[in-house]
Each structure stands twice: as C-alpha cells, then as structure tokens.
Amino acid sequence: MDGGTAEREFVERLERHRGLLVKVAAAYCREDEQREDLIQDIVVQLWSSRKRFDGRVKFSTWMYRVALNVAISAYRRKANQAAALDLGFSAVESLAAPVAVPDPEREVLFDRIDRLDPLHRALLLLYLEERSYAEIGEILGISESNVGTKIARIKQRLRHEIAAAPIV
Amino acid sequence: MQKQYDHLARLRRSLFAELVCDLAGVVLLGWFIGNFAGQLKYLVPAIALDVYAIALVVAVARQSTVLGAVDLGGAVLCVQQRLQKLRLLRIRTTLGTLLFAPLMWLPLLIVGARGVFGIDVYAAGVAWLAANVLFGLAVIPIAVFFARRYGSRLQQSSALRLLADEIAGRSLMAALRDLQQVRDFAA
C-alpha cells in the first residue's frame, strides 16, 4: 500500500469515528468555539501520531486514547490559566437522552459531574458511551476490576451528593 | 495550522533551542576557563557559571527524555503521569533558573566583561563588587514578594502572569496537585 492510499484510508477511518471526537470535546468544553479548537487539536495529534498506531488495539480505542489525552491536557492547561473551560452539564447532557422539560434533579446530577476531575470525567464519559469495562480499562490504563470499582464509587458519591443537595 | 495546535511539537522545538543555547554556553565557558586557568579571580566565577550551565543542560536533557517517552496513543493514565512529571520538571527548572540567575549576575559580569570586552571588573573596587552581590541577593526576595503580592492582578494568560505564578510557587503547587490527582486515580 503506497503512502497516499494509507493516508486516505486513515482520513476515512477518522471520518467514521468523528462522533467520538465530538463527544470527547463536548465532555471537556462548554463553548462551541473551544470545542472546535479542541477537535482541531485532537485531529492534528491523531495525524502526527498516525505512524505510531500499530494495530495492537482497536482503532477506536487508540482514537479515544489520543482524544482524551489531548482533551485532558488542554483542560488542565486552560484550568491553570483560570480560563472558563470546564465540563458544562449541557455537554454531558448531549451524551444522554435529550430532556424536554428542565429537571432540577438532573441539573444537580450534571452539576456534580462538573466537579469531577478530568480523569474521572473520562471514565464517566466512556461508561455513558456504553463501552465495556475491558475497553475502558484498555483506554485508561487500569484493570477491568478497577474500572468497576471506580464506577461504583462515582455512582455512590453522586447518589449521596444528590440526596444531600437541596432541589430548588 | 499544525504549528498553532501541536503543543508537544512546540515544546520539543523549545527544548531543542534551549539545549543548543545551554551547550553553546558550556562550550564558550570551557574556552574561557582554558584561557584563564591560571587566574583565580576569573577561574572561580567562570567555573560557577559553567556548573550553572551544565545543570541547565542536564535539566533540559531530562525533560527531553520524558517528552520522548510520551506517546499520546498510549493508555491515558500512563500518558497523563508522564505529562505531569514533565510539567513539574519544567516548572522546577524555570524556578531554579530564575532564582539562581540573580546570584549568577556578578560572575556573568566578570566573565562577560573580560571575555568579550577585555575589561577587568575587579578594577571597579571591592565596594562596587559587594554592591552587585547585594543587588543579586536582594532581587530574589523582592521578585518573590512582588510575584505573590501583585501577580494575581496581571492578565490571566499573559506571559508575565505565568512568570509571576512560577516565581510565587503557584504553578508548582498546581502541578503537584494535578500529579497527586493522577496518582490518586491510579491507586
């Protein structure tokens, strides 16, 4: 396979998984413009790293890894500059079913998700994406049982916090 | 477009430029030491500067090694740990450079004036030299005071603000906090 064909194929694979990039960007950025910037940043890194993809993991797993690494790094960079770049509940909302009527309990849930650190957000994003524990572990670099434990802890924590939070 | 977005590539270029400058400093100082080996008044400040320059070369080399091991297609936790270590290393290097730089002012003046212009700074007298040493020592606490007191009033993303945050130790604290967060996730 010549270089041009390989590159075309790579771009086609990126296109097929574009939704993944949008979701990762949505999980770490509130503003449209920031989301676009982040997606562009991720695409550049995917392109730069394409020769390092050796097929040992699925293409989507590799894409998730690059996308999350870029998103978390960008998030930390912006957070350290005290920029308003954080997970809006509207972002997570886009991962779940749309809500017709504003739901205060749901807003409390998303508010609590907003407060999670970037790695736990990644974990929750992958869980909401219905990835298997094995794949989540492979993407994040933790064991399958650790994934289960962490998800259970997050659920428990969110449940407690929501129960304690006053619903306005 | 790539230039604007690829932060790691930018960092790689920046480290390379730093390494070239630091190595050039080590070479020039080696030349100076070779020429003034018999004169203690030049040899001592030149050796102090050389040690400083070599320490910078080592620091940049360590950062390059960590950066070289970063593959964004690797597992998120592992990559984030490496990136946080790299960030910590960079902040500590900058902090060390900034805090030691005022102390290096006098040796630099002595060596630079002699090596470039052929001027003997010692001829200015002991009082003048002592004043320069005191100036160097005074710069450090003054810089830390201003960075802590007024740094937060600077524009959030300005280079000056970033510098003030590093001098005040705020960047170091944030980096340590983020590294701990990654370690907690791994536990």
Side-chain angles (χ1 to χ4, degrees), chain A residues 14 18 24 57 71-72 105 128 159:
Chain A
L14 284 187
R18 190 181 150 73
V24 170
V57 292
I72 292 170
E105 278 188 9
L128 291 172
R159 214 174 287 133

Side-chain angles (χ1 to χ4, degrees), chain A residues 37-38 40-41 44-45, chain B residues 1-7:
Chain A
D37 279 351
L38 182 57
Q40 208 152 0
D41 201 350
V44 168
Q45 288 299 345
Chain B
M1 185 182 80
Q2 183 146 344
K3 200 174 179 181
Q4 190 184 348
Y5 286 95
D6 198 338
H7 297 282

Side-chain angles (χ1 to χ4, degrees), chain A residues 13 52-65 134-135 137-139, chain B residues 73-75:
Chain A
R13 289 170 105 175
R52 296 175 99 159
F53 174 67
D54 53 12
R56 275 191 291 182
V57 292
K58 280 196 295 183
F59 189 76
S60 61
T61 300
W62 178 77
M63 259 186 88
Y64 260 122
R65 284 176 170 184
E135 195 182 356
E138 202 170 28
I139 292 168

Side-chain angles (χ1 to χ4, degrees), chain B:
Chain B
M1 185 182 80
Q2 183 146 344
K3 200 174 179 181
Q4 190 184 348
Y5 286 95
D6 198 338
H7 297 282
L8 288 182
R10 201 169 56 191
L11 181 57
R12 215 168 282 128
R13 281 195 295 272
S14 160
L15 283 174
F16 180 73
E18 283 173 35
L19 192 64
V20 168
C21 291
D22 295 341
L23 281 173
V26 171
V27 170
L28 287 172
L29 284 162
W31 169 83
F32 186 90
I33 289 168
N35 282 314
F36 293 91
Q39 298 180 58
L40 211 60
K41 64 178 186 178
Y42 293 121
L43 188 64
V44 173
I47 287 175
L49 281 177
D50 210 16
V51 168
Y52 182 67
I54 290 169
L56 290 179
V57 169
V58 171
V60 174
R62 278 182 70 195
Q63 291 174 50
S64 301
T65 308
V66 177
L67 181 61
V70 172
D71 170 14
L72 290 176
V76 175
L77 191 59
C78 177
V79 173
Q80 291 304 313
Q81 269 173 335
R82 283 195 178 130
L83 288 175
Q84 289 311 312
K85 277 182 191 165
L86 179 63
R87 183 175 155 213
L88 210 55
L89 217 50
R90 271 193 81 65
I91 291 171
R92 282 183 173 149
T93 304
T94 310
L95 203 55
T97 309
L98 289 172
L99 294 181
F100 272 100
L103 296 177
M104 289 294 127
W105 154 244
L106 189 59
L108 184 67
L109 187 67
I110 293 167
V111 171
R114 186 69 186 89
V116 180
F117 304 108
I119 298 169
D120 181 6
V121 171
Y122 289 102
V126 177
W128 190 82
L129 291 175
N132 272 281
V133 172
L134 289 175
F135 170 74
L137 287 172
V139 163
I140 300 167
I142 290 170
V144 172
F145 170 79
F146 276 99
R148 287 193 177 158
R149 187 76 191 260
Y150 302 108
S152 55
R153 295 186 191 178
L154 295 167
Q155 197 188 345
Q156 295 280 5
S157 58
S158 70
L160 207 58
R161 169 66 186 268
L162 296 176
L163 192 67
D165 283 347
E166 297 212 345
I167 293 173
R170 282 189 289 267
S171 301
L172 186 64
M173 288 300 113
L176 285 169
R177 192 191 54 228
D178 286 348
L179 182 62
Q180 191 53 47
Q181 209 174 61
V182 176
R183 283 180 177 154
D184 288 346
F185 189 83

